[in-house]
Amino acid sequence: MIKKVLIINGTERTLVVDGSESLAQVLRDRLLLTGCKIGCGEGHCGACNVIVDGKVTRSCITKISKVADYAKIETIEGIGTLDNLHPLQAAWVAHGCAQCGFCSPGFIMSAKVLLENNPSPTREEVRDWFNKNRNLCRCTGYRPLIDAVMDAAKVLRGEKTKEDLMFVPTYNRILGTRYERPSGAAKVTGQWNFGADEIKNLPEDTLQIALVQAEVSHANIKGIDTSEAEKMPGVARIITYKDVPGRNRITGLITFPTNKGDGWDRPILCDEKVFQYGDAIAMVCADTVEHAKAAAKAVKVDLEVLPAYMSAPEAMAPDAIEIHPGTPNVYYETNCIKGDDTAPIMESAPNVVEVEAYCSRQPHLPIEPDVAYAYTDEEGRITIHSKSIGIHLHHAMICEGIGVAPEKLRIVQLHAGGTFGYKFSPTIEALTGVATLVTGRPVALNFNMHQMITYTGKRSPGFMNIKLAADENGKILALEGNNYIDHGPYSEFGDLLTMRLSQFVGAGMDIKNIRNKSQTVCTNHAYGAAFRGYGAPQSFMGGDIALDVMAAKMGIDPFEFRAMNCYKESEGSTTPNGCKPDVYCLEDLFDLARPKYHANKAYAEELNKNQSEGGKYKYGVGVSLGIYGCGLDGVDSSEAWAELNADNTVTIYNSWEDHGQGADIGTLTHAHETLRQAGFTPDRIKLVMNDTGLTPNSGPAGGSRSNVMSGNATRVACELLIDAMKKADGTFRTYDEMKAEGLALKYEGKWVATDCSDCDMETAQGNPFSVYMYCISLPVVRVEMATGKVKVVKFTMVSDFGTIINKIVVDGQVMGAIAQGIGLALSEDFEDLQKHTTLQRCGIPYPNDIPDDIELIYQENHPRPLGPYGAAGCGEGPLAAPHPAILNAIYNATGARVTKIPARPEVVKA
Ligand code: MCN
Ligand code: FES
Ligand code: FES
């Protein structure tokens, strides 16, 4: 043991350590300074940054034994408080830098050292500093963070005050403003607990879980021997499939009757087969994490390895065995059949092009690994706290598999450090639920980054084949498609995802005749989970590149080609599903974008002319149009409640799960916009969110549906309350008056997208979404000709999300999505199970991979008839099609047409 004296946040602390612990472990486990977060645990993300003797230090890879006695250690808890924020913390709140907030403490500590050494940095110096210190953020696209540091520096230099940075509402109005999110200050001061932090507060008898996981991708299980492991220190119980009280399956809630599977294909703990690398085979529950992990290694699994089909073409080969015996590997097909037969049009049209494109297995890469804990609550309910972004949905998916009655299961959402959609699927909910049921004790499971990356679902690759026909003037006559989705071994939502290809291939363009076939394929690679954009990135990877190829073939400017073919009311344009869009806003949107496109073209030409770089680089501009629907297919709905409290505040109850996108500020703003008629200010509105035991079913926070669905439900609940409070003279009753008159205090707001209809199973014709969002991407890229290395030097996005509910949230959503689009286009992948196992090796963009020059333009003159206060969603639209725009820009720069992502240097060079 080693005695250490450390000066922590100015206070001398004596510690006795065994020397093997990291500084992060000591700070978190011993001193409960949980503002220091552990993301990767391997030095790649900077979430654990603290300051040691004035230097930024990644505490996860710093052994406590190497920290000098009397070292001065500063953590986020020591630099500011909720009511007295450090200027960096204030700037972080003001610029919306804490979306999920998981990276915030690490960035702020890093920035503090920078400003101590360089009080007036340039923007490049700030970016370089964060890059050098490996600070990663997956939510913001980095620019807000640079803006915040520049502003904080001004405050520290005395040129501004903290108060100057904060938005203060006037006339009690926050809708459409930069009003701060309620969770902001807690996130930037390290006071916002995530799952790993809450685990530290669980009762002492909590068992820690370690998984025994498959290291092959496809196998029959011949036997599981736990006898040695059971004798190991600290082990309380080892759980295999035999112990699972229920059906031991997670049901994918089959969405369409034409699915050839039954939706019960995903084991909680593998019984007969392993279907993919990382599948859970057994759970060791022990007193400590270390004991659980040691015993997990001693569990012996006897496997008969089977051929692994690691991509759709392999699983579709005639000699491939059925991965789920009894269900064909190609288990779902959707056809978009609109207008006339396209075959004769393709034969006779003067212009026809065909594109083969591949959209990759993009990993989500949130900085917080997956985490959950479970226990039995005071009403005897198995209660699971997880990062679930669909608490009621997951309740229905796992209940029978665990073996509990629906009323005996409760799911609570933890504060999530980003999900980007992977948590639309349950991950470890059922495992922790089973473990607490079987052991009768609280349990906890906290993944490391390797498990996070290899166990959780991914964006399903899309193999796209798209054919377009156009007349002699460039008017599109017809589209044909033949595509398949590699959905991994588990079918949950695989049909829904494939249906998106019927909805978004060709979306935005007035195409009267479509024959587009898409199939879902079961493979042994990572199971498909929702990922921001869900089906649109695959669709536009084929559809948008085909537009670019046609424009090039015909010698028409690619921007004008899209503008001339876009949806027009005058032409009665309809979506690929044959219905009218929510609004005809695209002609205006192209008009708004046109000068920006020309400016970017001029900029690229200027850079090309400037040969100071020795002709080493070529610059080009790209364009694409991305569209996404707000909602789950068909008649989607949501519910929220509003209750008047005795202190004349209002509590809003809903299950608008928060990934980090801003469910709190969304709920607050929708409620406030209605309640302000009765004089309610934002501080008189309280939020109770995301607990199936307390809050109504508002549906999952996927499909960018919440701002529309749960925004509407929240608005309706508040309108009902306001109606009840309103007196004949136009003033409003107080709580006491409501009570005295025997009026109800709590109101249930429900909103149903009744105008929608399910898509027809044969033709995919219907009206799946009540509201859409539209984004034109205009990147400028630089290609290094010798190596094929591509850098995006500028990104303009011109968007229509209807009315903007919170400006800072929307800016943040768009910039974060642009960064993920750049990653998708150029670097991110999860294909090689040996290589793609860390944030870095999966190709996550660091600050210098994303341009500082991001230009965001919004069109707000087409309020959505069915959106709350005219709003659409905004989370996913910007990630529908930034990647084809980047590939189109590479073509513009070099003449090389890349149709497979990621467009790594070797691909571009080839
Ligand atoms: N908003 C607004 N004005 C509009 C539209 C939306 O102010 N006109 C706000 C909303 O109030 C909300 C946010 O923008 O705070 C996103 O709203 P919406 O598009 O309705 O999306 P959801 O709330 O349903 O969030 C889900 C969406 C999805 S599906 C993924 S995936 C995603 C995303 O949002 N994952 C994210 N954004 C993310 N952002 C972060 N930081 N982390 C993730 O994991
Ligand atoms: Fe320490 Fe990632 S660098 S947690
Ligand atoms: Fe940076 Fe979420 S705010 S990772």
Side-chain angles (χ1 to χ4, degrees):
M1 289 292 167
I2 310 169
K3 170 178 159 269
K4 275 267 162 217
V5 183
L6 301 174
I7 315 294
I8 296 181
N9 294 327
T11 304
E12 191 174 301
R13 307 289 295 265
T14 300
L15 295 157
V16 179
V17 294
D18 80 7
S20 67
E21 310 96 323
S22 67
L23 173 59
Q25 282 171 315
V26 172
L27 292 171
R28 290 177 52 80
D29 300 344
R30 305 284 289 282
L31 300 167
L32 292 182
L33 292 169
T34 51
C36 161
K37 306 296 174 195
I38 298 191
C40 66
E42 52 196 3
H44 296 166
C45 77
C48 62
N49 279 342
V50 296
I51 305 176
V52 179
D53 286 332
K55 292 206 168 68
V56 186
T57 304
R58 274 168 274 152
S59 60
C60 72
I61 49 167
T62 305
K63 284 266 172 280
I64 188 71
S65 54
K66 302 272 186 249
V67 180
D69 250 350
Y70 294 95
K72 288 201 183 83
I73 297 180
E74 289 171 75
T75 73
I76 193 78
E77 291 87 351
I79 69 165
T81 57
L82 286 176
D83 47 16
N84 185 20
L85 299 177
H86 183 280
L88 275 162
Q89 292 169 321
W92 236 248
V93 173
H95 286 277
C97 300
Q99 288 191 23
C100 78
F102 196 80
C103 71
S104 303
F107 265 98
I108 291 170
M109 297 316 284
S110 177
K112 182 166 185 283
V113 178
L114 169 70
L115 296 184
E116 278 161 6
N117 291 290
N118 179 1
S120 303
T122 62
R123 296 182 71 87
E124 277 95 58
E125 284 171 334
V126 180
R127 296 190 89 90
D128 288 346
W129 178 264
F130 285 148
N131 222 68
K132 188 179 100 185
N133 285 292
R134 309 244 181 101
N135 279 113
L136 277 176
C137 174
R138 189 61 165 160
C139 297
T140 59
Y142 299 110
R143 213 203 51 201
L145 315 182
I146 316 300
D147 294 340
V149 177
M150 300 308 282
D151 258 351
K154 285 187 190 142
V155 175
L156 289 163
R157 292 196 302 263
E159 296 162 13
K160 264 188 177 178
T161 66
K162 279 192 285 179
E163 291 67 36
D164 292 338
L165 305 183
M166 306 313 277
F167 170 81
V168 182
T170 46
Y171 306 111
N172 191 21
R173 187 176 171 97
I174 62 170
L175 187 130
T177 71
R178 297 172 64 84
Y179 192 72
E180 70 190 73
R181 65 176 78 195
S183 54
K187 285 173 177 163
V188 301
T189 49
Q191 305 300 318
W192 186 255
N193 275 351
F194 294 89
D197 310 330
E198 287 188 6
I199 286 176
K200 305 206 176 305
N201 303 331
L202 293 176
E204 252 179 45
D205 67 338
T206 300
L207 292 168
Q208 305 294 331
I209 302 174
L211 299 185
V212 178
Q213 290 179 269
E215 290 174 11
V216 297
S217 298
H218 196 192
N220 284 323
I221 299 177
K222 315 283 275 181
I224 306 169
D225 179 2
T226 59
S227 53
E228 286 303 309
E230 269 158 27
K231 292 180 219 144
M232 296 197 39
V235 173
R237 181 81 193 244
I238 300 183
I239 300 171
T240 68
Y241 70 91
K242 291 184 186 149
D243 306 303
V244 178
R247 193 169 170 177
N248 190 32
R249 288 288 180 281
I250 292 168
T251 169
L253 302 171
I254 287 291
T255 310
F256 302 111
T258 41
N259 192 322
K260 292 181 184 152
D262 67 0
W264 288 93
D265 49 35
R266 182 174 166 203
I268 296 175
L269 283 168
C270 294
D271 34 35
E272 291 169 5
K273 282 185 82 173
V274 162
F275 296 105
Q276 70 161 58
Y277 181 92
D279 266 351
I281 299 171
M283 280 189 279
V284 178
C285 304
D287 57 349
T288 65
V289 174
E290 292 70 27
H291 282 151
K293 282 189 177 163
K297 282 198 190 127
V299 173
K300 296 190 191 93
V301 186
D302 183 11
L303 296 174
E304 177 199 2
V305 177
L306 298 170
Y309 307 119
M310 302 305 278
S311 74
E314 290 174 35
M316 292 168 83
D319 61 343
I321 59 168
E322 286 175 351
I323 293 171
H324 292 282
T327 305
N329 289 348
V330 180
Y331 59 89
Y332 178 74
E333 179 178 317
T334 160
N335 284 281
C336 177
I337 299 182
K338 179 183 173 188
D340 297 335
D341 186 5
T342 50
I345 306 176
M346 291 289 168
E347 290 257 301
S348 60
N351 298 293
V352 176
V353 297
E354 185 171 357
V355 165
E356 291 270 352
Y358 172 77
C359 193
S360 56
R361 203 181 305 276
Q362 188 186 19
H364 300 71
L365 309 178
I367 311 299
E368 180 198 35
D370 205 35
V371 58
Y373 62 86
Y375 56 93
T376 306
D377 78 358
E378 69 282 11
E379 289 182 27
R381 291 176 291 197
I382 295 295
T383 302
I384 302 165
H385 294 236
S386 77
K387 293 175 71 179
S388 171
I389 55 158
I391 53 174
H392 290 84
L393 174 73
H394 292 174
H395 190 282
M397 289 176 76
I398 66 172
C399 207
E400 196 174 331
I402 301 177
V404 287
E407 64 280 9
K408 288 291 173 201
L409 179 65
R410 174 179 179 188
I411 303 184
V412 184
Q413 197 203 16
L414 292 166
H415 295 156
T419 92
F420 310 105
Y422 87 92
K423 284 300 308 182
F424 196 86
S425 287
T427 54
I428 54 179
E429 283 81 356
L431 289 171
T432 48
V434 165
T436 198
L437 193 61
V438 170
T439 62
R441 286 167 64 176
V443 298
L445 176 54
N446 191 5
F447 271 0
N448 61 27
M449 191 52 82
H450 181 272
Q451 288 175 302
M452 168 70 217
I453 291 173
T454 55
Y455 180 88
T456 59
K458 300 287 169 285
R459 191 188 295 290
S460 298
F463 297 77
M464 310 297 297
N465 178 294
I466 304 295
K467 235 170 137 179
L468 272 186
D471 70 11
E472 55 287 347
N473 300 316
K475 169 74 193 152
I476 301 172
L477 300 173
L479 180 149
E480 281 181 0
N482 186 8
N483 324 300
Y484 39 103
I485 288 288
D486 170 345
H487 202 260
Y490 303 131
S491 67
E492 58 195 44
F493 315 124
D495 47 10
L496 189 69
L497 172 65
T498 313
M499 180 57 93
R500 290 279 179 272
L501 271 50
S502 282
Q503 294 159 344
F504 294 109
V505 171
M509 298 295 115
D510 177 49
I511 308 179
K512 303 273 194 270
N513 309 300
I514 298 179
R515 294 293 180 275
N516 181 29
K517 170 173 151 185
S518 307
Q519 293 172 294
T520 324
V521 187
C522 181
T523 71
N524 294 113
H525 212 315
Y527 72 95
F531 193 147
R532 198 175 197 174
Y534 195 57
Q538 292 92 331
S539 301
F540 288 101
M541 188 66 204
D544 188 84
I545 293 179
L547 298 177
D548 222 65
V549 170
M550 178 64 90
K553 178 182 157 94
M554 297 191 65
I556 302 176
D557 180 279
F559 182 95
E560 296 307 337
F561 183 76
R562 287 167 177 82
M564 66 188 261
N565 278 293
C566 76
Y567 296 159
K568 295 186 183 75
E569 192 162 20
S570 57
E571 293 180 18
S573 308
T574 56
T575 70
N577 305 107
C579 62
K580 284 186 180 169
D582 52 348
V583 287
Y584 285 96
C585 66
L586 284 178
E587 285 175 277
D588 282 355
L589 199 67
F590 276 104
D591 286 346
L592 189 62
R594 187 169 286 106
K596 300 293 166 191
Y597 171 68
H598 287 296
N600 283 0
K601 255 174 83 165
Y603 178 50
E605 274 160 25
E606 187 59 37
L607 290 165
N608 278 326
K609 265 192 236 143
N610 173 3
Q611 288 300 323
S612 63
E613 291 153 342
K616 202 172 148 194
Y617 301 116
K618 285 197 174 172
Y619 294 84
V621 297
V623 54
S624 73
L625 168 67
I627 298 188
Y628 206 61
C630 310
L632 305 175
D633 287 54
V635 187
D636 195 1
S637 63
S638 179
E639 182 169 343
W641 303 331
E643 181 176 24
L644 183 64
N645 304 315
D647 59 357
N648 285 304
T649 59
V650 171
T651 302
I652 306 296
Y653 301 82
N654 71 21
S655 301
W656 180 345
E657 295 88 352
D658 209 333
H659 313 231
Q661 84 279 25
D664 57 348
I665 182 68
T667 301
L668 177 69
T669 312
H670 286 286
H672 177 256
E673 184 60 15
T674 296
L675 295 174
R676 72 192 188 96
Q677 316 168 31
F680 285 96
T681 45
D683 58 313
R684 286 176 55 210
I685 301 170
K686 297 175 180 168
L687 308 180
V688 174
M689 298 171 73
N690 303 323
D691 178 342
T692 61
L694 299 174
T695 55
N697 187 352
S698 315
S704 292
R705 60 182 287 285
S706 312
N707 197 57
V708 173
M709 300 294 156
S710 300
N712 266 322
T714 302
R715 172 184 61 79
V716 171
C718 293
E719 281 169 3
L720 293 172
L721 173 62
I722 284 286
D723 285 350
M725 290 173 72
K726 203 170 204 163
K727 296 183 196 167
D729 64 359
T731 62
F732 294 88
R733 294 179 178 84
T734 62
Y735 171 88
D736 289 338
E737 289 168 333
M738 297 277 283
K739 278 287 267 190
E741 292 179 46
L743 291 169
L745 298 164
K746 191 168 181 176
Y747 293 83
E748 295 179 1
K750 292 195 178 124
W751 196 79
V752 184
T754 45
D755 61 312
C756 287
S757 63
D758 292 339
C759 291
D760 178 86
M761 286 302 109
E762 300 293 318
T763 61
Q765 299 302 284
N767 188 6
F769 306 107
S770 55
V771 179
Y772 290 86
M773 49 204 141
Y774 304 86
C775 301
I776 295 176
S777 290
L778 300 169
V780 181
V781 305
R782 183 188 82 181
V783 185
E784 189 176 45
M785 295 308 284
T787 61
K789 196 166 186 295
V790 177
K791 188 171 169 57
V792 177
V793 295
K794 179 178 181 187
F795 207 112
T796 304
M797 194 171 273
V798 185
S799 310
D800 191 324
F801 305 126
T803 308
I804 288 177
I805 299 299
N806 183 286
K807 177 67 166 46
I808 207 154
V809 168
V810 174
D811 281 353
Q813 287 294 294
V814 180
M815 285 191 273
I818 289 173
Q820 290 183 336
I822 292 173
L824 174 63
L826 300 179
S827 60
E828 293 174 21
D829 211 353
F830 180 71
E831 203 50 44
D832 182 338
L833 292 174
Q834 302 308 315
K835 181 179 164 202
H836 295 132
T837 53
T838 69
L839 292 172
Q840 214 171 34
R841 294 210 300 250
C842 283
I844 190 171
Y846 278 86
N848 277 344
D849 299 320
I850 305 301
D852 202 45
D853 195 353
I854 295 181
E855 186 182 26
L856 307 181
I857 318 280
Y858 302 105
Q859 172 168 282
E860 279 197 86
N861 58 346
H862 292 272
R864 302 302 190 269
L866 294 171
Y869 316 110
C874 75
E876 295 179 275
L879 193 50
H883 51 306
I886 293 168
L887 301 182
N888 296 338
I890 295 172
Y891 173 77
N892 180 257
T894 64
R897 180 68 73 184
V898 182
T899 60
K900 187 174 186 285
I901 50 174
R904 290 222 184 78
E906 59 278 12
V907 176
V908 177
K909 190 148 185 241

